[in-house]
Amino acid sequence: MNARDASPVKIVRSTTWSAGPGCHGGCGVELHVRDGKLVKIEGIADHPYNRGTLCPRALALREYVNAPDRLQHPMIRTGARGTDTWRKASWDEALDLIEHRLKAVKDQHGAESTLFVQGTGRDVGGWLVMLAYNYGSPNWMQSLPGNSCYHPRLLAMKIAMGDYVVPDSSQFTNQRYDDPEWRVPECYVVWGQNSVATCNDGLHGHWIVHALKRGSKLVVIDPNYNWLASRATIWLPIRPGTDGALALGMLNVIINEGLYDKAFVDKWTVGFDELRERVQQYPLDKVAKITWLPAEKIAAAARLYAKGQPSALQWGVPVDFAPEGLTVALAINALWSITGNVEKPGGMVVARPAFGVTSYPMSQGAISKMYGEVMPKEQLAKRIGIDIYPIARDLHWRAQPDAVIDQIFSGTPYPVKAAFIAGTNFVVGAQDPRRWRKAFESLEFNVVVDLFMTPTVMALADVVLPSSSFAERDGVRAWWSPLTAQNTAVRVGECRSDAEICFELARRLNPGFRYRTLDDMYRFFLEPSGISLEEIREKGWIFPPKDSAATPYARHERGLLRADGKPGFDTASGKIELDATRMKDWGYDSLPAYTEPSFSPVSTPELAREYPLILNTGSRSIAFFHSEMRNIPSLRAMNPEPLVQIHPETARRFGIENNDWVWIENQQGRIKMRARYALVHPRIVLTQHSWFYPERIREDKDFGAYEANGNELIPGGLHSKTGFGGAQVKSLLCRIRKVEENA
Amino acid sequence: MTGKNGLWIDIEFCTGCMACEAACRQELDLGPTEYGIKVFEQLLNDGQTFNYVPIPTDRCNLCATRVHEEGKRPACVHHCMAQVMEYGPLESLIEHMKRRPRSVIWSPVSRSSQRPYHDLEQFEFLEE
Ligand code: SF4
Ligand code: SF4
Ligand code: SF4
């Protein structure tokens, strides 16, 4: 069609987050709308986060938003769970039913008997906790064993230094790479992440490529020779799950060779002598044996990192998935601390919400400030898992997922009866997924909120509410800096945003609810900033001033990190605690240590004879976010089938050729994937992340959820003893064989 | 006039992210399995060679409408995640290539107006 004949295009500027590309977002985008329909998405050229660029998932937004299989109206189940039996309902009817059922659970069993379940860090997280607290349940949770995605890393940083740090890519200033204070990291360590296929919390994956282009030397720690590894100065194809040993080995080199930053260590850390003593237990020959890496390469990597002025380090989820993920994160935290890279241009910088706006509450302090003291102390004390996991009790604000599953089965100390599930497809995505499914199948009432039909909806939902993409909602966000706005461009069917859904239910479930409209609530969020809702919507993004707590550098020296305004870090000692006193208080080892994976040639040699390969699940494809998007045709075309990456030599030994269908089997079960040659360590196979077949949801009794799903091969109960980390999805055992015709 | 302009792509830093494919698909309004540019992988077992090389297809028209009517850069260039693409007159692209030799210049000519599409559906009888 000729552009001149068409109705005019309206352009709405917004910021990506959650449904759409699926990610944790931050890209500035123009959404082009014609006749009420999304016709195009473009990156905003002068947006500091993405500078015009976008990933293929964001660029497929048109297809995603307008997908014919979107859920477009609420549905109430008419038949048995697990069957495709629904009737269309109005919002009023669906919300009345939910209100009625949740009030009944509260009256009969107490509000704590209802769970509020989210997956990854979607915008729904903040809204779910708001809903949970207004209803009166302390049991808001993430659907992942050991909270093993970023939370172990976050808590380790919180424990050791009182704040979270991210690699400095100049992301906290509007000038970005032109900021005169910013430095190119001389050394950039990429620890267990295929960053070019992903964007993370506070870091856009391709910022690492921008650093590489500007001269950073890379150290890539990954069993797979991925693209970043091919561009690295040093590639360390580590045995999965042994990250803790590697970190301790690097610390050993840096400390014993005197390569640490003595002035910084003296002035800003405590516990260095204890750490020095501890790392003596990890000489390089021992670490080399554990990690399958040559000692001299580990030493070279440690030296390159320590000598970098500055050095940055980006870490991925394998750190969390290591047997004691939180402890591994403590060790890596010590690496950037003793080398003095904290709050240094081009090193690691503290991430703080712009203007102190908390649009994604992470603490009860923020929650009570926002929503009022909605829950009495006795009620808060019922949060599941805090009696077992003191870190969950003192530093985390959610129910501990493994304890939740156990309590669902045991019914003690109180029964779990209902769940409000939003933005998660854990029937596919949780480790040991059948156990999770069984647990939630036993509940009396489940609500699932999603954009598409998923195995979780099919298996569990009694009511389904159709949610929206980021293009269909408003919002403000300070995660971290700058402050950004999401602006509604289109509406699809009867879909409502997670914010609208949770807001309306909170209003119904809490007679004392104090907000009239969502905009009232956004205005309340914005109060500390002095910025009006109109202004942030209009501008799209606003950076806080240079001297604010959300802007680097050297904030510990300038007294910007502590509530008392004194110089130092936000810990009891005011310093970075290399020997983490809080860990001691909770009865844990306060120094980093290495723990061998539960299933490995070392810990289970018998099993390793039967299953001689290391199974590393969860490798990412840029076409997908977690279990999503296999139903979006252009994205599926980029990665049409589930892949297992395997070294050609290993493949030959097992009688497999490139593109053969293979079974990957272990003591838990078997899955089927397409073999793809890769230059991965020959004793390791990598399976792609959270695959299911949306096209089989209705025809297959398991909704296409298991056949190609690596989580099927992961036993439950592998979470860390601290409750944070573990799950060990990267370090299991398996064998492979070719799928014979008709098998 | 597409023959005088082209695309320069720095192969050293192309990550194979496929944003160019997706951006082009949206710009040319192509179907989910149609391409105006396609990314190829070159991975050899020599410990050295791992490249992604995007190649425009015969449908690439160098974003004629976008560039000449809207005054923007081509959709692939604008969205490229690694920021490794440039658009412009071939002579100026050569300058990029001199500076960064591990790169390619494509001089696509959209054939859609000049060459008939061949009917691949004619093979259907084989299924009978
Ligand atoms: S994944 Fe990255 S590039 Fe894509 S929309 Fe999200 S933040 Fe932007
Ligand atoms: S220049 Fe335009 S038409 Fe050509 S490949 Fe890039 S996006 Fe497609
Ligand atoms: S968008 Fe850029 S980096 Fe990505 S594949 Fe295309 S040319 Fe390469």
Side-chain angles (χ1 to χ4, degrees):
Chain A
M1 182 168 29
N2 190 314
R4 276 174 290 268
D5 307 336
S7 14
V9 169
K10 183 179 84 172
I11 295 178
V12 177
R13 284 151 66 98
S14 194
T15 318
T16 61
W17 186 14
S18 303
C23 61
H24 302 180
C27 286
V29 290
E30 281 181 355
L31 303 171
H32 295 223
V33 182
R34 181 187 285 143
D35 297 328
K37 215 175 154 182
L38 184 75
V39 291
K40 193 184 212 182
I41 180 173
E42 288 255 331
I44 295 177
D46 63 350
H47 195 285
Y49 192 89
N50 55 314
R51 307 169 120 212
T53 73
L54 281 180
C55 64
R57 298 193 310 277
L59 287 162
L61 187 71
R62 202 175 49 137
E63 211 179 331
Y64 184 95
V65 167
N66 302 319
D69 50 343
R70 280 280 299 268
L71 299 173
Q72 298 211 9
H73 41 75
M75 295 194 295
I76 295 174
R77 192 179 281 286
T78 54
R81 286 190 192 149
T83 62
D84 190 26
T85 45
W86 313 90
R87 69 180 172 79
K88 212 165 154 171
S90 70
W91 275 99
D92 277 342
E93 187 191 3
L95 293 173
D96 284 348
L97 175 65
I98 295 166
E99 179 184 345
H100 171 76
R101 295 291 303 260
L102 293 189
K103 280 183 172 161
V105 169
K106 186 170 172 173
D107 291 344
Q108 288 163 28
H109 308 278
E112 65 277 11
S113 289
T114 301
L115 306 170
F116 293 82
V117 191
Q118 73 169 105
T120 184
R122 296 241 197 215
D123 75 303
V124 73
W127 299 106
L128 266 188
V129 65
M130 186 271 289
L131 174 57
Y133 276 64
N134 277 286
Y135 167 70
S137 170
N139 289 322
W140 164 48
M141 64 180 281
Q142 187 185 28
S143 54
L144 183 63
N147 290 293
S148 293
C149 184
Y150 205 35
H151 292 235
R153 281 172 285 161
L154 286 172
L155 286 167
M157 293 188 280
K158 191 90 189 155
I159 290 165
M161 64 164 94
D163 261 293
Y164 314 127
V165 293
V166 293
D168 180 20
S169 304
S170 67
Q171 66 269 52
F172 298 131
T173 71
N174 205 36
Q175 303 100 301
R176 292 298 311 265
Y177 303 121
D178 301 327
D179 176 13
E181 278 190 82
W182 182 71
R183 293 281 168 278
V184 182
E186 283 184 358
C187 171
Y188 208 131
V189 176
V190 182
W191 196 307
Q193 182 179 76
N194 184 14
S195 308
V196 297
T198 179
C199 290
N200 282 270
D201 313 274
L203 192 103
H204 181 300
H206 273 72
W207 292 345
I208 295 174
V209 182
H210 303 167
L212 182 64
K213 284 166 81 172
R214 286 167 171 78
S216 290
K217 288 195 164 111
L218 291 189
V219 173
V220 170
I221 300 164
D222 200 301
N224 189 22
Y225 186 71
N226 60 24
W227 183 85
L228 277 173
S230 78
R231 285 349 184 223
T233 304
I234 301 177
W235 171 46
L236 300 175
I238 189 173
R239 173 165 71 99
T242 66
D243 308 74
L246 176 60
L248 283 152
M250 288 174 68
L251 286 166
N252 177 302
V253 172
I254 293 168
I255 292 177
N256 289 343
E257 295 186 5
L259 301 175
Y260 56 95
D261 180 338
K262 293 176 191 70
F264 186 89
V265 166
D266 286 348
K267 190 152 182 212
W268 297 113
T269 71
V270 290
F272 182 74
D273 293 335
E274 290 79 1
L275 180 67
R276 178 204 297 272
E277 201 181 317
R278 173 58 59 91
V279 303
Q280 303 315 317
Q281 294 175 25
Y282 297 91
L284 278 196
D285 52 340
K286 176 173 161 186
V287 171
K289 241 201 216 125
I290 296 173
T291 57
W292 294 353
L293 296 169
E296 55 288 3
K297 262 199 183 176
I298 301 173
R303 288 177 195 133
L304 191 65
Y305 177 72
K307 288 179 183 161
Q309 289 297 338
S311 286
L313 189 152
Q314 166 64 0
W315 49 4
V317 76
V319 172
D320 304 317
F321 282 130
E324 290 297 335
L326 188 144
T327 307
V328 176
L330 280 176
I332 296 174
N333 193 77
L335 274 172
W336 57 60
S337 300
I338 66 165
T339 51
N341 278 302
V342 178
E343 276 292 284
K344 214 185 203 179
M348 306 300 292
V349 286
V350 167
R352 283 274 181 100
F355 304 100
V357 170
T358 317
S359 50
Y360 191 83
M362 295 265 202
S363 71
Q364 280 172 347
I367 292 162
S368 61
K369 202 168 100 209
M370 266 181 195
Y371 310 124
E373 292 289 356
V374 286
M375 207 178 292
K377 285 224 158 24
E378 325 73 86
Q379 191 63 12
L380 272 181
K382 293 178 185 158
R383 184 155 55 96
I384 298 172
I386 59 175
D387 49 337
I388 313 169
Y389 303 109
I391 301 182
R393 181 192 62 213
D394 295 347
L395 275 190
H396 205 238
W397 315 109
R398 311 187 189 196
Q400 204 284 346
D402 305 280
V404 169
I405 299 298
D406 288 347
Q407 182 162 334
I408 291 176
F409 287 118
S410 73
T412 55
Y414 57 83
V416 178
K417 293 291 177 184
F420 188 93
I421 300 161
T424 168
N425 179 20
F426 62 72
V427 163
V428 174
Q431 289 72 56
D432 199 3
R434 291 178 203 254
R435 184 160 186 264
W436 274 68
R437 174 174 160 192
K438 204 166 148 214
F440 283 81
E441 274 171 353
S442 75
L443 304 189
E444 284 171 7
F445 184 61
N446 291 315
V447 181
V448 182
V449 186
D450 211 308
L451 287 89
F452 295 99
M453 187 55 82
T454 67
T456 302
V457 174
M458 280 296 259
L460 301 175
D462 299 307
V463 181
V464 196
L465 301 178
S467 182
S468 71
S469 72
F470 83 90
E472 303 151 56
R473 70 176 168 86
D474 288 335
V476 293
R477 179 190 190 211
W479 191 24
W480 310 89
S481 188
L483 181 68
T484 60
Q486 289 92 46
N487 295 321
T488 303
V490 289
R491 303 293 306 213
V492 174
E494 291 177 27
C495 300
R496 291 189 186 175
S497 71
D498 291 308
E500 290 169 308
I501 296 168
C502 293
F503 185 90
E504 171 60 14
L505 279 168
R507 206 187 52 73
R508 285 166 175 250
L509 294 166
N510 176 11
F513 192 64
R514 53 176 154 121
Y515 305 93
R516 242 176 0 96
T517 64
L518 264 173
D519 280 2
D520 286 349
M521 200 173 241
Y522 295 135
R523 291 203 165 87
F524 176 69
F525 290 166
L526 287 171
E527 254 169 34
S529 70
I531 293 166
S532 72
L533 187 55
E534 292 66 30
E535 184 183 357
I536 185 65
R537 280 187 176 152
E538 160 73 25
K539 293 195 173 146
W541 72 93
I542 302 177
F543 278 95
K546 265 271 175 213
D547 58 354
S548 87
T551 312
Y553 301 95
R555 277 165 283 183
H556 58 294
E557 291 175 7
R558 298 189 288 140
L560 288 168
L561 297 180
R562 295 174 58 86
D564 60 15
K566 291 196 181 130
F569 291 89
D570 195 14
T571 57
S573 59
K575 307 212 170 164
I576 298 177
E577 308 200 338
L578 301 169
D579 182 11
T581 39
R582 297 204 72 173
M583 293 293 280
K584 221 173 286 172
D585 300 341
W586 292 311
Y588 302 122
D589 188 353
S590 57
L591 289 161
Y594 170 65
T595 309
E596 175 68 23
S598 303
F599 300 97
S600 79
V602 181
S603 42
T604 53
E606 281 296 309
L607 200 66
R609 266 190 287 281
E610 201 177 336
Y611 302 107
L613 298 171
I614 309 279
L615 168 66
N616 181 305
T617 74
S619 49
R620 300 300 203 265
S621 161
I622 197 162
F624 308 130
F625 191 75
H626 292 304
S627 70
E628 292 176 84
M629 288 138 193
R630 275 76 172 175
N631 61 324
I632 305 300
S634 74
L635 295 173
R636 181 69 176 271
M638 292 179 177
N639 194 149
E641 290 164 334
L643 301 178
V644 53
Q645 289 180 293
I646 177 170
H647 194 279
E649 192 50 37
T650 310
R652 194 190 54 74
R653 267 181 47 220
F654 286 87
I656 290 163
E657 282 178 53
N658 204 22
N659 291 326
D660 280 349
W661 281 105
V662 296
W663 291 113
I664 303 134
E665 332 176 283
N666 71 4
Q667 74 275 21
Q668 287 294 111
R670 66 174 190 180
I671 62 169
K672 187 174 150 185
M673 287 190 164
R674 182 78 84 180
R676 182 58 43 89
Y677 287 167
L679 300 180
V680 54
H681 191 295
R683 284 190 64 187
I684 300 167
V685 296
L686 307 175
T687 62
Q688 280 187 333
H689 185 51
S690 277
W691 257 91
F692 80 100
Y693 290 102
E695 62 273 29
R696 296 190 199 161
I697 281 188
R698 292 185 173 84
E699 70 191 34
D700 165 321
K701 79 171 172 36
D702 285 322
F703 334 110
Y706 301 129
E707 187 188 290
N709 182 354
N711 293 317
E712 271 282 90
L713 304 179
I714 303 166
L718 297 182
H719 54 284
S720 146
K721 62 177 183 291
T722 62
F724 294 93
Q728 305 192 27
V729 315
K730 305 282 177 192
S731 51
L732 295 147
L733 295 170
C734 74
R735 67 179 174 225
I736 50 171
R737 76 192 154 82
K738 186 174 162 155
V739 174
E740 300 300 337
E741 300 295 328
N742 312 318
Chain B
M1 295 297 284
T2 53
K4 291 187 182 164
N5 290 307
L7 295 172
W8 171 81
I9 308 174
D10 188 349
I11 296 311
E12 176 67 14
F13 297 114
C14 166
T15 63
C17 74
M18 297 183 277
C20 47
E21 290 183 6
C24 183
R25 183 172 292 123
Q26 175 177 255
E27 193 62 32
L28 300 185
D29 203 15
L30 302 174
T33 54
E34 296 178 323
Y35 298 86
I37 186 166
K38 192 161 179 9
V39 181
F40 291 86
E41 182 182 278
Q42 183 193 45
L43 172 58
L44 300 182
N45 202 353
D46 62 1
Q48 283 198 325
T49 312
F50 191 171
N51 296 308
Y52 289 103
V53 187
I55 306 180
T57 72
D58 289 357
R59 290 182 129 155
C60 169
N61 62 10
L62 286 171
C63 282
T65 314
R66 185 184 167 94
V67 169
H68 302 297
E69 288 180 28
E70 296 168 28
K72 294 182 185 166
R73 292 178 299 159
C76 55
V77 176
H78 178 98
H79 290 102
C80 169
M81 296 263 273
Q83 301 180 351
V84 296
M85 304 178 87
E86 297 285 348
Y87 163 82
L90 294 174
E91 305 79 66
S92 76
L93 298 182
I94 285 284
E95 296 307 312
H96 287 290
M97 190 175 242
K98 285 183 190 156
R99 221 171 21 83
R100 297 208 49 85
R102 282 170 53 76
S103 60
V104 293
I105 293 173
W106 300 115
S107 167
V109 180
S110 172
R111 296 193 186 172
S112 55
S113 52
Q114 301 160 17
R115 199 175 77 170
Y117 285 109
H118 297 292
D119 181 11
L120 301 180
E121 303 289 308
Q122 63 192 301
F123 292 133
E124 257 173 31
F125 70 93
L126 288 175
E127 283 169 20
E128 281 167 21

